[in-house]
Amino acid sequence: MPSRRTMLVAGIAWLLFWTLMVLVAVEDYRRDGGSAPWQPVLWETSSALVATCLFVIQRRFSAQHDVLVATPWRWFGQQARWLPLYWFGFTPIVFALRHAVYALAGERYEHEAWAEVFVYEALKISLFFGIFTTIGFGLLSYREMMKERVRAEQAGALLREAQLERLTRQMQPHFLFNALNTISSLMHTDVARADATLVRLADVLRATLALGDKPQASLDDELRLAQGYAAVMQERFDGRVTLTWAIEPAALTVRLPAISLQPLLENVFKHTVAHRRASTAIRVEARFVDGALHLSIEDDGGVLAPSGTPGTPGITVVNLRTRLAALHGERAGLALHALQPAGVRAELRVPCAS
């Protein structure tokens, strides 16, 4: 809905426009030798009153189409459907008001033949309709631009918060401690594997810092971080994890909130793999559904807690949902689903740029 300030500005502009129309009509009437200035005042105020009522009706039922402002031709198409209301509603009501007031004043309202009146008034109201529809489009576009700017600022602030939380609470100390402990153990049995794991750990830390500098990243970049993390964790839980990656190639360029896939994958290791002795199968899938990217992380052993996250109320899930809303509004989301007989699927939905 428009803000109060926008509505106030639009209302003042509307009032000034019709005030100008009244003043111009009075001045033209006076120059033509008229002696009853109430008549031009009546002509224009009746037009203003009816036009305002019709506009309010149009706005009341067309506000639902404000979301189409990003596609101007669709938005203007929806507005154009209201033109017949002005063509066939404006003239009869306006002239009925004028005839009524003239009759109360004991005078007769003279005008051209009805055919000429309808054509002339239809053309005039169509011109005004076009002008004010264009102005309305400009106001709505400005409002959407400001909303996007606010969302971008919110996303930036949330990203900084997420980065700090990631570096201080999640990456440190438990992930680093476990990874270094794994590397230390491998040093005594398999130096090559220990060296490879250390390289992967360095890549994970480097990718985390790089992605943390921007609000969004491509799925390709997110996968590099997540796959590096998963490789380190598979070394730690040797033989207890099976990972499958099912990614549509076209999805690699879709942009996600930065550092969004790896925390969801970490939830699986932290709340499921770490608490099971049996092997856990994890599947990461990215596919397009109805013009949106659906990115899911699914396991076959997790349990969805009543709070909506595996094990404990997840800061990661809450933070990611907030960042998605800040970037995309209701077009994006993160849902958690319990699977049968066991398992949890986290599914992230992001709109694709047209």
Side-chain angles (χ1 to χ4, degrees):
M1 293 297 291
S3 66
R4 290 185 179 181
R5 178 177 296 180
T6 301
M7 294 179 64
L8 178 61
V9 171
I12 292 174
W14 184 262
L15 180 62
L16 289 175
F17 170 79
W18 286 107
T19 301
L20 178 62
M21 294 292 291
V22 170
L23 293 176
V24 170
V26 170
E27 182 63 18
D28 289 341
Y29 179 84
R30 186 185 63 80
R31 289 182 179 179
D32 291 338
S35 58
W38 65 269
Q39 293 181 359
V41 172
L42 170 65
W43 303 339
E44 298 304 326
T45 53
S46 60
S47 296
L49 177 63
V50 175
T52 301
C53 291
L54 294 178
F55 176 79
V56 169
I57 293 173
Q58 176 193 351
R59 185 64 194 154
R60 170 67 178 80
F61 293 97
S62 66
Q64 60 182 318
H65 301 302
D66 287 355
V67 295
L68 300 177
V69 72
T71 51
W73 65 273
R74 294 180 63 191
W75 186 86
F76 277 103
Q78 290 294 334
Q79 304 309 308
R81 296 171 60 186
W82 289 90
L83 263 174
L85 174 67
Y86 290 85
W87 290 339
F88 302 109
F90 178 82
T91 301
I93 300 173
V94 166
F95 277 74
L97 289 174
R98 294 177 186 176
H99 277 287
V101 174
Y102 267 76
L104 290 174
E107 297 192 28
R108 180 181 177 82
Y109 180 45
E110 301 288 345
H111 54 78
E112 292 78 16
W114 280 110
E116 294 182 39
V117 168
F118 270 99
V119 172
Y120 174 78
E121 294 296 334
L123 290 174
K124 186 172 71 172
I125 199 64
S126 296
L127 176 62
F128 288 166
F129 178 89
I131 292 173
F132 282 101
T133 298
T134 303
I135 293 173
F137 176 79
L139 291 173
L140 288 173
S141 297
Y142 177 78
R143 185 187 71 181
E144 290 302 313
M145 181 186 71
M146 295 306 295
K147 286 171 64 176
E148 288 298 323
R149 179 177 298 178
V150 170
R151 284 179 179 174
E153 292 174 353
Q154 290 177 342
L158 288 166
L159 175 63
R160 290 190 293 271
E161 178 184 335
Q163 182 184 8
L164 179 61
E165 189 267 341
R166 287 288 305 144
L167 293 175
T168 59
R169 297 193 58 180
Q170 295 184 358
M171 292 297 288
Q172 299 176 3
H174 74 267
F175 170 62
L176 285 177
F177 174 81
N178 291 329
L180 292 173
N181 188 53
T182 299
I183 294 169
S184 177
S185 299
L186 288 172
M187 288 293 293
H188 299 286
T189 57
D190 193 330
V191 176
R193 284 178 62 191
D195 181 66
T197 304
L198 185 60
V199 170
R200 292 191 186 102
L201 175 60
D203 290 340
V204 169
L205 295 176
R206 189 181 302 111
T208 301
L209 292 173
L211 292 178
D213 290 335
K214 44 192 175 182
Q216 297 186 82
S218 68
L219 175 59
D220 193 23
D221 290 336
E222 288 288 309
L223 282 171
R224 288 195 187 98
L225 172 60
Q227 289 172 343
Y229 169 82
V232 174
M233 297 305 289
Q234 282 181 295
E235 288 292 348
R236 180 191 170 197
F237 298 104
D238 187 21
R240 291 168 54 188
V241 178
T242 302
L243 261 164
T244 303
W245 305 86
I247 310 297
E248 292 188 13
L252 295 175
T253 58
V254 177
R255 300 185 68 77
L256 309 172
I259 316 179
S260 55
L261 174 57
Q262 185 271 331
L264 295 176
L265 191 58
E266 182 175 344
N267 268 356
V268 179
F269 280 98
K270 180 179 178 181
H271 298 296
T272 301
V273 178
H275 296 284
R276 298 182 76 207
R277 303 303 301 174
S279 177
T280 300
I282 303 173
R283 178 181 175 85
V284 180
E285 181 178 10
R287 68 191 191 282
F288 291 105
V289 179
D290 297 330
L293 174 68
H294 285 238
L295 178 63
S296 62
I297 299 90
E298 177 181 316
D299 68 78
D300 64 351
V303 177
L304 193 62
S307 60
T309 61
T312 61
I315 295 174
T316 297
V317 172
V318 174
N319 183 282
L320 183 52
R321 279 175 173 160
T322 307
R323 292 171 61 200
L324 286 167
L327 285 168
H328 302 290
E330 296 181 356
R331 297 179 298 162
L334 172 61
L336 300 175
H337 306 282
L339 305 179
Q340 297 298 328
V344 173
R345 179 193 298 123
E347 187 164 10
L348 188 151
R349 184 183 76 259
V350 177
C352 300
S354 58

